[in-house]
Amino acid sequence: MKRTCVEAVLLAAGYSSRMGELKPLLPLGGTTVIRRQVEMLQSVADRIIVVTGYRGEEVEHHLSGSGAYIVQNPRFGEGMFTSVKAGIRSLKPETDAFLILPVDYPLVTGRMIRQLLKVYEGSGDCLVAYPSYRMRKGHPPVISASCTRRILAYDGELGLKGALKAFDGFACYMETEDMRCVMDMDTPADYRKILAALAVG
């Protein structure tokens, strides 16, 4: 059986306005949020695309030598979905599936993504696979490359969530008790929770 070629799109373009500091460069686990994510994704993806925007040169310099492929999104100020589209447009033609991970979810593990990929690959007609924690969709979704045209064509107000709604009939879910797939980081209080969760393992 042919091995699935998987790319990862890591979204790191936002203003981090509610955090008050640049989220990708916040310290976490002896490194930074974004370095930790890139290193984790290297264990599950054939290539990592990091989409930058606000203070993009700073983020790119920080990732020098990491092996990540940097895409600058000049339209990042128009919202996260413009960064999703920028990442999708940078996928290689041979890519079979891709995952999308916002920098806001720094505790997602390679182990969970590997399990999610098994669910995706084992479900013959699945186009989008989600981790699910107690009936809540988590991150990252794994998306078939066959969905890219419709995602890029979507111009509704709901962003990625709205674009993926078209594939609800072909979605599959991996139930998990790992709540890290729903732990996001928008505010200093969220960041403190992330640090506390990391400390207890």
Side-chain angles (χ1 to χ4, degrees):
M1 187 171 124
K2 176 178 172 286
R3 191 181 71 85
T4 304
C5 179
V6 179
E7 293 197 72
V9 176
L10 181 54
L11 306 174
Y15 287 109
S16 302
S17 51
R18 291 173 63 195
M19 182 64 70
E21 295 183 64
L22 191 63
K23 281 188 274 191
L25 302 190
L26 285 172
L28 190 67
T31 181
T32 59
V33 165
I34 197 160
R35 273 272 182 181
R36 177 185 171 89
Q37 287 177 309
V38 166
E39 288 168 10
M40 177 276 293
L41 289 169
Q42 283 169 339
S43 71
V44 296
D46 294 277
R47 188 173 68 137
I48 301 152
I49 299 166
V50 177
V51 184
T52 65
Y54 179 63
R55 290 168 64 180
E57 288 184 4
E58 198 174 333
V59 175
E60 182 172 358
H61 178 73
H62 178 69
L63 289 175
S64 176
S66 69
Y69 178 75
I70 309 295
V71 174
Q72 174 71 22
N73 173 23
R75 298 179 58 189
F76 73 92
E78 298 172 34
M80 188 176 76
F81 193 46
T82 66
S83 294
V84 170
K85 288 184 173 183
I88 288 174
R89 289 190 190 101
S90 301
L91 294 170
K92 290 182 176 180
E94 64 267 29
T95 295
D96 299 304
F98 61 98
L99 60 93
I100 295 178
L101 182 63
V103 78
D104 311 61
Y105 291 79
L107 296 185
V108 169
T109 66
R111 180 174 180 270
M112 193 199 75
I113 294 175
R114 282 189 290 274
Q115 291 173 337
L116 184 62
L117 284 166
K118 280 184 181 177
V119 170
Y120 168 80
E121 290 167 347
S123 305
D125 59 352
C126 179
L127 294 180
V128 185
Y130 300 93
S132 175
Y133 175 75
R134 298 184 182 179
M135 306 301 289
R136 285 175 62 193
K137 281 182 184 175
H139 281 280
V142 172
I143 305 167
S144 168
S146 66
C147 300
T148 55
R149 188 173 296 178
R150 289 185 71 176
I151 295 172
L152 291 172
Y154 179 79
D155 62 358
E157 296 179 358
L158 296 177
L160 181 63
K161 186 182 290 187
L164 293 182
K165 198 161 181 58
F167 309 107
D168 278 356
F170 299 93
C172 55
Y173 299 87
M174 182 190 76
E175 296 296 331
T176 178
E177 281 303 305
D178 188 345
M179 71 178 298
R180 290 173 288 190
C181 69
V182 295
M183 289 183 70
D184 64 351
M185 190 179 76
D186 284 326
T187 66
D190 294 335
Y191 178 47
R192 288 192 291 271
K193 287 178 184 175
I194 292 287
L195 292 174
L198 186 63
V200 298

